[in-house]
Amino acid sequence: MTRDLPEAPPGPGGPALPQHRRLVTAIPGPRSTELLARRTAAVPPGVSTVLPVFIERAGGGILLDVDGNSLIDFGSGIAVTSVGNSAPRVVARVTDQVARFTHTCAMVTPYESYIAVCEALNRLTPGEHEKRSMLVSSGAEAVENAVKIARSYTGRPAVVAFEHGYHGRTLLTMTLTAKNLPYKHRFGPYAPEVYRMPMAYPFRWPTGPDRCAEEALATTIEAIEVQLGADQVAAIVIEPIQGEGGFIVPAPGFLPGLADYCAAHGIVLIADEIQTGFARTGQMFASEHEGIVPDLVTTAKGIAGGLPLAGVTGRAEIMDSVHVGGLGGTYGGNPLACEAALGAIETIEADDLCGRARHIEEVMLPRLRALAARHGVVGEVRGRGAMLAVELVAGPGDKTPNPTATAEVARRCHAAGLLVLTCGTYRNVLRFLPPLVIDDALLLDGLDVLDRAFEAL
Ligand code: PLZ
């Protein structure tokens, strides 16, 4: 973009948001508690909250609440604010854009930033082939569109998804999602032609991690051939590291095996990189860790520093197969969100946030492994880059999931001013998703809080 941009504000969250954990009230404090009462009266309980501290400002690795408490952020709003909250380049671009125009609808009269974001996606996603991208507003919408495009291109109905998978809350993406509570319970009937296959989940594979990839692949392929017919399958949809399902890194070889099978049978491989994408795992996209080149990639979350934007990127011949006007939506590629994405992508590249994610892994992994050595409830430490987790079990040699200890550790972290999130099909995984711009002192302080939460168990 050639326009002159206004000066970037001085730092994350505006001027001088100190990067220290500091509690001045109980968590939640009195003002948050008041707001929570209003929330309860105005918002249905179906829309839940992990930690009801109401946020006033945020930046770097800090969330500042309405009571003046500074919490360490190990969640990034579920892997969204990878560049930090109110990252300077995002603020500068969005501020400039909001004063020029806020919306025209990209389907009515276009603007340059939409094209620039698509060009960036085409350049950054895996593979050197010719690509196209389209923009929407949420991750679920991106997955829905990827399936629509795959069906249109192949003329086939079936879609294959995996155990522990998460793809969203709309009818189709909820159907693709593996977990009943809270996502699917009483919301059926679900969309037809979605089939679920076993996930190559090394920690819980019945015959052990070494045989996991090969056996999971063989079971999946046999089920496709026997039950569905490969020529009826439009797409296989998979997260290259499963997010909500428990930060499950597939056994090495599983993803390449699926990619080869898809290529041999004209099945569109859709990598859902919504949680893993944009430097989170130490590469721009998690597919790169195993060198797979998906046919379509869905992106959201980290793409735009907190503004709602999502995309589908893929092979030109697949993307171009949809009839004119078949894809779109009122807000898809909103100009504010596109400017935010350009600011976020510029930040990721200029500040080497892939390198920062690898650095965060180097700092955190040894500490998490030491934690696992001290506490028998930690069954496994896993993840890549700044997408790390510990899975909690009953004890050494007993892999029974331990959601109670998981909730207790999270509660203690929250009370001490460290925001952590849980995940996992069995609600027994603590996940760590710090902003990639968090400084080392905060990271280490957060790890100390985590240590103490485990010691108190
Ligand atoms: N695909 C891999 O992680 C969103 C969900 C939080 P949307 N994950 C956070 C919740 O409980 O709703 C996600 C994801 C993967 C798709 C999605 C869906 O993205 O932007 O939430 O629609």
Side-chain angles (χ1 to χ4, degrees):
M1 305 282 292
T2 46
R3 270 176 301 108
D4 283 339
L5 288 169
E7 278 281 296
L17 180 60
Q19 297 293 301
H20 299 292
R21 179 172 60 97
R22 181 164 165 267
L23 299 188
V24 294
T25 71
I27 298 293
R31 287 215 54 216
S32 278
T33 305
E34 265 172 52
L35 287 166
L36 184 60
R38 274 174 60 195
R39 184 192 197 279
T40 307
V43 182
V47 187
S48 65
T49 287
V50 171
L51 174 61
V53 296
F54 286 73
I55 300 306
E56 173 97 14
R57 272 173 63 193
I62 287 291
L63 300 164
L64 177 67
D65 79 5
V66 290
D67 290 291
N69 298 299
S70 294
L71 290 87
I72 301 177
D73 182 9
F74 274 14
S76 299
I78 323 191
V80 171
T81 52
S82 299
V83 295
N85 249 295
S86 304
R89 292 182 185 89
V90 172
V91 172
R93 283 183 171 273
V94 173
T95 308
D96 177 59
Q97 179 63 46
V98 76
R100 290 190 304 117
F101 66 95
T102 48
H103 175 84
T104 63
C105 187
M107 299 186 306
V108 178
T109 47
Y111 36 87
E112 185 179 347
S113 57
Y114 186 114
I115 315 305
V117 173
C118 292
E119 287 166 348
L121 281 165
N122 297 346
R123 172 172 65 84
L124 293 170
T125 48
E128 297 305 315
H129 51 280
E130 195 178 341
K131 296 174 204 155
R132 308 274 190 266
S133 291
M134 66 167 290
L135 302 178
V136 287
S137 304
S138 70
E141 241 188 309
V143 176
E144 290 257 0
N145 277 281
V147 171
K148 281 166 64 173
I149 293 164
R151 282 183 169 153
S152 170
Y153 174 69
T154 59
R156 304 171 180 180
V159 181
V160 166
F162 292 87
E163 289 173 352
H164 311 290
Y166 182 91
H167 301 287
R169 292 179 184 259
T170 59
L171 179 64
L172 176 58
T173 59
M174 167 179 70
T175 307
L176 291 167
T177 292
K179 191 173 167 180
N180 176 38
L181 273 170
Y183 307 122
K184 305 172 80 160
H185 180 66
R186 295 173 69 89
F187 295 149
Y190 307 110
E193 291 296 333
V194 170
Y195 302 91
R196 193 168 312 287
M197 300 300 167
M199 178 62 187
Y201 182 176
F203 182 65
R204 293 192 179 276
W205 194 255
T207 54
D210 295 342
R211 305 182 57 180
C212 176
E214 193 192 322
E215 291 180 3
L217 194 60
T219 311
T220 299
I221 291 173
E222 192 191 302
I224 289 175
E225 311 239 304
V226 172
Q227 298 173 29
L228 311 181
D231 64 356
Q232 295 303 300
V233 179
I236 293 182
V237 187
I238 190 161
E239 302 153 83
I241 298 177
Q242 288 181 319
E244 305 305 308
F247 280 29
I248 299 165
V249 184
F254 185 64
L255 293 175
L258 286 179
D260 290 346
Y261 184 76
C262 284
H265 293 86
I267 298 170
V268 175
L269 179 64
I270 303 174
D272 181 345
E273 292 257 16
I274 286 166
Q275 190 153 164
T276 50
F278 288 100
R280 176 53 55 185
T281 68
Q283 299 283 350
M284 194 59 88
F285 291 98
S287 296
E288 294 167 47
H289 293 286
E290 283 206 77
I292 63 160
V293 177
D295 300 306
L296 299 180
V297 177
T298 57
T299 52
K301 291 186 183 279
I303 191 178
L307 273 83
L309 190 73
V312 184
T313 301
R315 293 186 189 280
E317 67 271 23
I318 299 178
M319 297 292 289
D320 288 349
S321 70
V322 176
H323 56 281
V324 173
L327 305 170
T330 305
Y331 291 114
N334 169 271
L336 300 175
C338 284
E339 288 294 337
L342 294 175
I345 292 167
E346 198 183 314
T347 304
I348 291 169
E349 294 197 286
D351 298 351
D352 184 25
L353 294 191
C354 288
R356 277 296 302 170
R358 293 193 293 270
H359 171 77
I360 290 170
E361 175 179 338
E362 276 165 29
V363 172
M364 290 192 76
L365 258 193
R367 289 287 302 266
L368 297 175
R369 292 201 173 117
L371 187 78
R374 289 197 304 278
H375 301 281
V377 293
V378 179
E380 191 181 45
V381 178
R382 59 175 178 252
R384 291 190 204 274
M387 184 173 183
L388 299 172
V390 293
E391 174 161 356
L392 274 65
V393 296
D398 181 353
K399 291 186 178 178
T400 309
N402 195 339
T404 316
T406 309
E408 179 60 19
V409 171
R411 197 190 59 75
R412 284 179 189 279
C413 289
H414 295 168
L418 171 67
L419 177 73
V420 291
L421 303 173
T422 61
C423 63
T425 300
Y426 315 111
R427 292 176 292 114
N428 66 325
V429 179
L430 283 165
R431 58 170 150 174
F432 312 111
L433 291 162
L436 304 179
V437 296
I438 193 170
D439 66 33
D440 282 10
L442 273 188
L443 207 53
L444 294 169
D445 186 30
L447 287 162
D448 290 342
V449 171
L450 185 70
D451 278 346
R452 288 195 289 275
F454 268 93
E455 265 143 41
L457 269 185

